[in-house]
Amino acid sequence: MMIITQKITSLAYEIHDGMFRKDEELTPSQRGLAVRRMPSLLEYVSYTCNFMGILAGPLCSYKDYIAFIEGRASHVAQPSENGKDEQHGKADPSPNAAVTEKLLVCGLSLLFHLTISNMLPVEYNIDEHFQATASWPTKATYLYVSLLAARPKYYFAWTLADAINNAAGFGFRGYDKNGVARWDLISNLRIQQIEMSTSFKMFLDNWNIQTALWLKRVCYERATFSPTIQTFFLSAIWHGVYPGYYLTFLTGVLMTLAARAVRNNFRHYFLEPPQLKLFYDLITWVATQITISYTVVPFVLLSIKPSFTFYSSWYYCLHVCSILVLLLLPVKKSQRRTSTQENVHLSQAKKFDERDNPLGQNSFSTMNNVCNQNRDTGSRHSSLTQ
C-alpha cells in the first residue's frame, strides 16, 4: 500500500510541475507538497482531454495549462531597465499581433503546399526513368527541393494550432528585455532555424519542439545506455506503425551519431577566421539539408518497398558513410554526471516552492535550458557537442 501511495504521489508531482521524475529523486518534503497539490479529477480530465493539448497538440505541461485555466498565465514579471524583474501591472497582453503573424505564415504555407508541393512530388525520387537518366547533382538537388516542398504542410498545421491557442490566450511566455510580449510558450517549430540548420541537432531542436522536449525528458535523460538509440526508437513507436517511420528513425540514429562525431573532431578547426567559419557553415548547411532529406524520405513514402527502392538508387551511400565515420573517427561518450542531475533537481525543487512568479517561462524549456547550461559547463574540456 505504501508503494502505491508513493507512486501516486510521484505522479501528482510530475503532473503539477510539468516534469517527469523518478520516485527516488523526490525528497520527503516534496512528496508532502505534491500530496497537498494533487490535481482534482476535473483538472486531470480537463488536461488530458484538452483537444488542442495532448490529443492533437501542441503538447504543453500541466503547470502551464493549469496556470492558463486559472488566469495566472499573464501575471508574470517584466524585465526593467535595471535588469531586475518587476511585477507586470498592465492589462493582459493582447495576442492579436502574434495570431495575425502566425495566420499569415499559415496562409503562405498552405499556398506553397497547394502549388509547389504538387509540382515536386517526393515519389518522383524513385521514378525509374529519373533514376536511370539523372546525374548525381540532379538527384541531390531534386531530393532537397522535393523535401523542402513537403515541409509546408507541417508548418501550416503546427502554426495554425499555435495561433488557435494564442487566440484563446494560451501561449504567453512573458516579456523579452525590450518589454515585448512573447507568445511562443507552446510553439512547435522555428521555420528559419529549420531551413538554415547547419547540423542534424540544430534541425531536430527546432522541429516538433514540444514533442522533442518530452522525448528528451522521459527517455534521453533517463536512459541508462544508448540514449540516442532508445529515444529515436521511442519516437518511431510514438509516430505509428508504418515501416517508413522505423526506417527513418533508425537511419536518423546513424546520421545523428555520425554528425556528432564529425562535428566533435573537425568543427574547432574552422572557427577562426570568420571567412573560414562562413565556409564551414555553408558546407555543413548543404550536408545537413541533403542528409535530412535522405533520412526522411521513408517517413513520407511510408511503405517499405518504395523506401528501399529509394535507398537502393542511392546505393545506401549515406548509411555507408555514417558507419565508416563511426568506425574511423574517435567518438567521445557523453558523461552524465550525477552532480549535474542533482543541481538540476535542486534548482527545479526551489522553483517549485517559490510561488510568487507563477509562470516565468515554459517549464519544458526552462528545464531544457538548465540542463544545457550545466552540461556545457561540465563538457567544455571534452569538446562534446550533442
Side-chain angles (χ1 to χ4, degrees):
M1 187 66 180
M2 183 179 297
I3 296 177
I4 297 176
T5 303
Q6 290 176 349
K7 292 289 185 182
I8 296 175
T9 300
S10 176
L11 177 60
Y13 182 78
E14 290 171 0
I15 293 176
H16 188 278
D17 197 36
M19 304 299 171
F20 297 83
R21 299 186 179 186
K22 299 178 182 178
D23 293 339
E24 59 268 19
E25 295 171 352
L26 297 177
T27 65
S29 61
Q30 290 171 345
R31 292 193 181 101
L33 186 61
V35 170
R36 292 193 296 272
R37 294 175 179 174
M38 175 85 73
S40 67
L41 178 61
L42 177 60
E43 291 172 333
Y44 176 78
V45 173
S46 174
Y47 173 65
T48 55
C49 295
N50 173 30
F51 183 77
M52 292 304 298
I54 292 179
L55 295 182
L59 177 68
C60 64
S61 71
Y62 174 83
K63 180 180 179 180
D64 297 329
Y65 173 78
I66 204 65
F68 162 67
I69 292 297
E70 294 177 352
R72 295 183 283 112
S74 60
H75 296 86
V76 299
Q78 181 176 3
S80 61
E81 296 180 356
N82 58 11
K84 297 182 179 180
D85 290 342
E86 296 180 352
Q87 191 67 27
H88 175 55
K90 301 179 182 179
D92 290 348
S94 172
N96 292 343
V99 172
T100 301
E101 179 182 352
K102 291 173 182 179
L103 289 179
L104 179 61
V105 172
C106 288
L108 294 175
S109 299
L110 182 61
L111 179 64
F112 192 96
H113 173 67
L114 295 177
T115 56
I116 307 299
S117 298
N118 293 332
M119 298 168 56
L120 300 168
V122 177
E123 291 77 10
Y124 191 66
N125 284 284
I126 59 175
D127 181 80
E128 294 182 0
H129 178 73
F130 177 74
Q131 292 179 357
T133 59
S135 62
W136 277 105
T138 303
K139 287 183 178 181
T141 301
Y142 186 81
L143 175 65
Y144 167 67
V145 297
S146 63
L147 269 300
L148 174 65
R151 286 198 282 269
K153 65 181 179 181
Y154 300 101
Y155 296 165
F156 168 76
W158 285 335
T159 306
L160 180 61
D162 194 13
I164 292 173
N165 279 284
N166 290 169
F170 188 27
F172 178 64
R173 195 167 69 93
Y175 298 86
D176 61 17
K177 61 182 180 180
N178 298 320
V180 178
R182 296 177 297 179
W183 288 89
D184 58 350
L185 178 70
I186 53 175
S187 295
N188 226 9
L189 77 165
R190 304 183 188 97
I191 298 177
Q192 182 178 355
Q193 286 84 341
I194 288 173
E195 300 303 340
M196 300 302 295
S197 295
T198 57
S199 69
F200 215 86
K201 180 182 183 298
M202 182 178 177
F203 186 97
L204 296 178
D205 284 346
N206 294 285
W207 176 271
N208 204 356
I209 297 171
Q210 304 304 326
T211 301
L213 293 175
W214 175 78
L215 287 169
K216 179 180 180 180
R217 184 144 303 105
V218 302
C219 184
Y220 187 88
E221 293 179 345
R222 302 176 69 168
T224 55
F225 66 94
S226 303
T228 300
I229 297 176
Q230 291 192 45
T231 303
F232 271 91
F233 186 70
L234 175 60
S235 183
I237 296 175
W238 180 86
H239 276 84
V241 298
Y242 285 105
Y245 295 156
Y246 293 85
L247 284 176
T248 287
F249 288 107
L250 290 176
T251 302
V253 172
L254 277 178
M255 301 304 168
T256 300
L257 297 177
R260 185 182 301 169
V262 171
R263 184 178 177 88
N264 292 341
N265 285 276
F266 296 105
R267 184 176 183 272
H268 54 279
Y269 293 116
F270 297 89
L271 297 180
E272 295 292 343
Q275 295 81 0
L276 189 60
K277 176 64 165 54
L278 179 61
F279 173 76
Y280 174 82
D281 289 341
L282 178 61
I283 296 300
T284 53
W285 175 81
V286 173
T288 298
Q289 297 301 324
I290 295 298
T291 302
I292 287 289
S293 301
Y294 175 92
T295 302
V296 302
V297 166
F299 191 95
V300 178
L301 299 179
L302 297 178
S303 300
I304 195 165
K305 183 177 179 180
S307 300
F308 278 120
T309 300
F310 167 74
Y311 282 145
S312 298
S313 68
W314 278 65
Y315 301 103
Y316 297 90
C317 59
L318 295 188
H319 288 84
V320 174
C321 290
S322 298
I323 294 174
L324 291 177
V325 165
L326 293 176
L327 292 176
L328 298 178
L329 292 181
V331 179
K332 299 177 182 179
K333 297 181 179 180
S334 60
Q335 299 179 356
R336 306 160 71 112
R337 296 177 176 85
T338 304
S339 60
T340 298
Q341 296 178 346
E342 291 176 352
N343 290 336
V344 172
H345 300 328
L346 288 174
S347 174
Q348 293 305 313
K350 182 179 179 181
K351 291 183 178 181
F352 182 81
D353 291 334
E354 296 176 354
R355 305 295 297 173
D356 293 337
N357 184 5
L359 184 63
Q361 61 180 10
N362 187 349
S363 56
F364 280 173
S365 60
T366 301
M367 182 68 169
N368 186 37
N369 292 336
V370 173
C371 292
N372 288 339
Q373 290 172 3
N374 288 331
R375 282 181 183 146
D376 290 343
T377 302
S379 61
R380 283 174 184 166
H381 299 295
S382 64
S383 300
L384 177 61
T385 305
Q386 295 184 355

